[in-house]
Coordinates of all heavy atoms in Angstrom, one line a residue:
T1 N 142.6 111.3 136.1 CA 143.3 111.8 137.3 C 142.8 111.0 138.5 O 141.6 110.9 138.7 CB 143.1 113.3 137.5 OG1 143.4 114.0 136.3 CG2 143.8 113.8 138.7
S2 N 143.7 110.6 139.3 CA 143.4 109.9 140.6 C 143.3 111.0 141.7 O 144.2 111.9 141.7 CB 144.4 108.8 140.9 OG 144.3 107.8 140.0
R3 N 142.3 110.9 142.5 CA 142.2 111.8 143.7 C 141.8 110.9 144.9 O 140.6 110.6 145.0 CB 141.2 112.9 143.4 CG 141.1 113.8 144.6 CD 140.3 115.1 144.2 NE 141.0 115.9 143.3 CZ 140.4 117.0 142.7 NH1 139.2 117.3 143.0 NH2 141.1 117.7 141.8
G4 N 142.8 110.5 145.7 CA 142.5 109.5 146.7 C 142.0 108.2 146.1 O 142.6 107.7 145.2
S5 N 140.9 107.7 146.6 CA 140.3 106.5 146.1 C 139.4 106.7 144.8 O 138.9 105.8 144.2 CB 139.5 105.8 147.1 OG 138.5 106.6 147.6
D6 N 139.2 108.0 144.5 CA 138.4 108.4 143.4 C 139.2 108.6 142.1 O 140.4 108.8 142.2 CB 137.6 109.6 143.6 CG 136.6 109.4 144.8 OD1 136.3 108.2 145.1 OD2 136.0 110.4 145.3
K7 N 138.5 108.6 141.0 CA 139.1 109.0 139.7 C 138.3 110.0 139.1 O 137.0 110.0 139.2 CB 139.2 107.8 138.7 CG 140.3 106.7 139.2 CD 140.6 105.7 138.1 CE 141.7 104.8 138.6 NZ 142.2 103.9 137.5
L8 N 138.9 111.0 138.4 CA 138.3 112.1 137.7 C 138.4 111.8 136.2 O 139.5 111.8 135.7 CB 138.8 113.4 138.1 CG 138.8 113.8 139.6 CD1 139.4 115.1 139.8 CD2 137.4 113.7 140.1
V9 N 137.3 111.7 135.5 CA 137.3 111.5 134.1 C 136.7 112.7 133.4 O 135.5 113.1 133.7 CB 136.5 110.2 133.7 CG1 136.5 110.0 132.2 CG2 137.0 109.0 134.4
R10 N 137.4 113.3 132.5 CA 137.0 114.5 131.8 C 136.3 114.2 130.5 O 136.7 113.2 129.9 CB 138.1 115.5 131.6 CG 138.7 116.1 132.8 CD 140.0 116.8 132.7 NE 140.4 117.4 133.9 CZ 140.9 116.8 135.0 NH1 141.0 115.5 135.0 NH2 141.2 117.4 136.1
A11 N 135.3 115.0 130.2 CA 134.5 114.8 129.0 C 134.2 116.1 128.4 O 134.0 117.1 129.1 CB 133.3 113.9 129.2
T12 N 134.2 116.2 127.0 CA 133.7 117.3 126.3 C 132.4 117.0 125.6 O 132.3 116.0 124.9 CB 134.8 117.8 125.3 OG1 136.0 118.0 125.9 CG2 134.3 119.0 124.5
I13 N 131.4 117.9 125.8 CA 130.2 117.8 125.1 C 130.1 119.0 124.3 O 129.8 120.1 124.8 CB 129.0 117.7 126.1 CG1 129.2 116.5 127.1 CG2 127.7 117.5 125.3 CD1 128.1 116.4 128.1
T14 N 130.3 118.9 123.0 CA 130.4 120.0 122.1 C 131.5 120.9 122.6 O 132.7 120.4 122.7 CB 129.1 120.7 121.9 OG1 128.1 119.7 121.6 CG2 129.1 121.7 120.8
S15 N 131.2 122.1 123.1 CA 132.3 122.9 123.6 C 132.3 123.0 125.1 O 133.1 123.7 125.7 CB 132.2 124.4 123.0 OG 130.9 124.9 123.4
D16 N 131.4 122.3 125.8 CA 131.3 122.3 127.2 C 132.1 121.2 127.9 O 132.2 120.1 127.3 CB 129.8 122.2 127.6 CG 129.0 123.4 127.2 OD1 129.2 124.5 127.8 OD2 128.2 123.3 126.3
K17 N 132.6 121.4 129.1 CA 133.4 120.5 129.8 C 132.7 119.9 131.0 O 132.0 120.7 131.7 CB 134.7 121.2 130.2 CG 135.5 121.8 129.1 CD 136.3 120.8 128.3 CE 137.2 121.5 127.3 NZ 137.9 120.5 126.5
L18 N 132.9 118.6 131.2 CA 132.4 118.0 132.4 C 133.5 117.2 133.0 O 134.4 116.7 132.3 CB 131.2 117.0 132.1 CG 129.9 117.5 131.6 CD1 129.0 116.3 131.3 CD2 129.3 118.4 132.7
I19 N 133.4 116.9 134.3 CA 134.3 116.0 135.0 C 133.4 115.0 135.8 O 132.5 115.4 136.6 CB 135.2 116.7 136.0 CG1 136.1 117.7 135.3 CG2 136.1 115.7 136.7 CD1 136.9 118.6 136.2
Y20 N 133.6 113.7 135.5 CA 132.9 112.7 136.2 C 133.8 112.3 137.4 O 134.9 111.9 137.2 CB 132.6 111.5 135.4 CG 131.7 111.7 134.2 CD1 132.1 112.0 132.9 CD2 130.3 111.6 134.4 CE1 131.3 112.1 131.9 CE2 129.4 111.8 133.3 CZ 129.9 112.0 132.1 OH 129.1 112.2 131.0
R21 N 133.3 112.3 138.6 CA 134.0 111.8 139.7 C 133.5 110.3 139.9 O 132.3 110.1 140.0 CB 133.8 112.6 141.0 CG 134.6 112.0 142.2 CD 134.8 113.0 143.3 NE 133.5 113.4 143.9 CZ 133.0 112.9 145.0 NH1 133.7 111.9 145.7 NH2 131.9 113.3 145.5
M22 N 134.5 109.4 139.9 CA 134.1 108.0 139.9 C 134.8 107.3 141.1 O 135.8 107.7 141.6 CB 134.5 107.3 138.6 CG 133.9 108.0 137.4 SD 134.2 107.2 135.9 CE 133.0 105.8 136.1
R23 N 134.1 106.2 141.5 CA 134.6 105.4 142.7 C 134.3 104.0 142.4 O 133.3 103.6 141.8 CB 133.8 105.9 143.9 CG 134.3 105.3 145.2 CD 133.6 106.0 146.4 NE 134.1 107.4 146.5 CZ 133.6 108.3 147.3 NH1 132.6 107.9 148.1 NH2 134.0 109.5 147.3
F24 N 135.3 103.1 142.8 CA 135.1 101.7 142.6 C 134.1 101.1 143.6 O 134.3 101.2 144.8 CB 136.5 101.0 142.7 CG 136.5 99.6 142.1 CD1 136.6 99.4 140.8 CD2 136.4 98.5 142.9 CE1 136.6 98.2 140.2 CE2 136.4 97.2 142.4 CZ 136.5 97.1 141.0
S25 N 133.1 100.5 143.0 CA 132.0 100.0 143.9 C 131.3 98.9 143.1 O 131.1 98.9 141.9 CB 130.9 101.1 144.1 OG 129.8 100.7 144.8
Q26 N 131.0 97.8 143.9 CA 130.3 96.7 143.3 C 131.0 96.1 142.1 O 130.4 95.8 141.1 CB 128.8 97.0 143.0 CG 128.1 97.5 144.2 CD 126.7 98.0 143.9 OE1 126.2 97.8 142.7 NE2 126.0 98.6 144.8
G27 N 132.3 96.1 142.1 CA 133.1 95.4 141.1 C 133.5 96.3 139.9 O 134.1 95.8 138.9
K28 N 133.1 97.6 139.9 CA 133.5 98.4 138.7 C 133.5 99.9 139.1 O 132.9 100.3 140.2 CB 132.6 98.2 137.5 CG 131.1 98.5 137.8 CD 130.3 98.1 136.5 CE 128.8 98.4 136.7 NZ 128.0 98.1 135.5
W29 N 134.0 100.7 138.3 CA 134.0 102.2 138.5 C 132.7 102.7 138.2 O 132.1 102.5 137.1 CB 135.1 102.8 137.6 CG 136.5 102.5 138.1 CD1 137.3 101.5 137.7 CD2 137.2 103.1 139.2 NE1 138.4 101.5 138.4 CE2 138.4 102.5 139.3 CE3 136.8 104.2 140.1 CZ2 139.3 102.9 140.3 CZ3 137.8 104.6 141.0 CH2 139.0 103.9 141.1
R30 N 132.1 103.5 139.1 CA 130.8 104.1 139.0 C 130.9 105.6 139.3 O 131.7 106.1 140.1 CB 129.8 103.4 140.0 CG 129.6 102.0 139.7 CD 128.7 101.4 140.8 NE 128.5 99.9 140.5 CZ 127.5 99.4 139.9 NH1 126.6 100.2 139.3 NH2 127.3 98.1 139.7
I31 N 130.0 106.3 138.6 CA 129.9 107.8 138.8 C 129.3 108.1 140.2 O 128.3 107.5 140.6 CB 129.0 108.4 137.7 CG1 129.6 108.1 136.3 CG2 128.8 109.9 137.9 CD1 128.6 108.3 135.2
V32 N 130.0 109.0 140.9 CA 129.4 109.5 142.2 C 129.1 111.0 142.1 O 128.5 111.5 143.0 CB 130.3 109.2 143.4 CG1 130.4 107.7 143.6 CG2 131.7 109.8 143.2
D33 N 129.6 111.7 141.1 CA 129.3 113.1 141.0 C 129.7 113.6 139.6 O 130.4 112.9 138.9 CB 130.2 113.9 142.0 CG 129.7 115.4 142.2 OD1 128.7 115.7 141.7 OD2 130.4 116.1 142.9
I34 N 129.0 114.7 139.2 CA 129.3 115.3 137.9 C 129.6 116.8 138.2 O 128.9 117.5 138.9 CB 128.1 115.3 136.9 CG1 127.8 113.8 136.6 CG2 128.5 116.0 135.6 CD1 126.5 113.6 135.9
I35 N 130.8 117.3 137.7 CA 131.2 118.6 138.0 C 131.2 119.4 136.7 O 131.8 119.0 135.7 CB 132.6 118.6 138.6 CG1 132.6 117.8 139.9 CG2 133.2 120.0 138.8 CD1 134.0 117.3 140.4
S36 N 130.6 120.6 136.7 CA 130.6 121.5 135.5 C 130.9 122.9 136.0 O 130.3 123.3 137.0 CB 129.2 121.4 134.8 OG 128.2 121.9 135.6
D37 N 131.7 123.6 135.3 CA 132.1 124.9 135.7 C 132.6 125.0 137.1 O 132.3 126.0 137.9 CB 131.0 125.9 135.5 CG 130.6 126.1 134.0 OD1 131.5 125.9 133.2 OD2 129.5 126.4 133.7
G38 N 133.3 123.9 137.6 CA 133.8 123.9 138.9 C 132.7 123.6 140.0 O 133.1 123.6 141.2
V39 N 131.5 123.3 139.6 CA 130.4 123.2 140.6 C 130.1 121.7 140.6 O 129.8 121.0 139.6 CB 129.2 124.0 140.2 CG1 128.0 123.7 141.1 CG2 129.5 125.5 140.1
S40 N 130.1 121.1 141.9 CA 129.7 119.8 142.1 C 128.2 119.7 142.1 O 127.5 120.3 142.9 CB 130.2 119.3 143.5 OG 129.4 118.2 143.9
Q41 N 127.6 118.9 141.2 CA 126.2 118.8 141.1 C 125.6 118.0 142.3 O 124.5 118.2 142.7 CB 125.8 118.1 139.8 CG 126.2 118.9 138.6 CD 125.7 120.3 138.6 OE1 124.6 120.6 138.9 NE2 126.6 121.3 138.3
L42 N 126.4 117.1 142.9 CA 126.0 116.5 144.1 C 125.8 117.5 145.3 O 124.9 117.4 146.0 CB 127.0 115.4 144.5 CG 126.6 114.4 145.5 CD1 125.4 113.6 145.1 CD2 127.8 113.4 145.8
A43 N 126.8 118.4 145.3 CA 126.7 119.5 146.4 C 125.4 120.3 146.1 O 124.7 120.7 147.1 CB 127.9 120.3 146.4
V44 N 125.1 120.6 144.9 CA 123.9 121.4 144.5 C 122.7 120.7 145.0 O 121.8 121.2 145.6 CB 123.9 121.7 143.0 CG1 122.5 122.3 142.6 CG2 125.0 122.7 142.7
Q45 N 122.6 119.4 144.7 CA 121.5 118.6 145.1 C 121.3 118.5 146.6 O 120.2 118.7 147.1 CB 121.6 117.1 144.6 CG 120.9 116.9 143.3 CD 120.7 115.4 143.1 OE1 121.5 114.6 143.5 NE2 119.6 115.1 142.5

């Protein structure tokens, strides 16, 4: 999913769900946040 200049990539780990928020930087897509259960881990940090 595209969200502005970011992309959201979903992943399943066993039965748990994650969303990687990614941004194009230094020539490739890079992770800028990990979201689980609707909670931004960057915001938690």
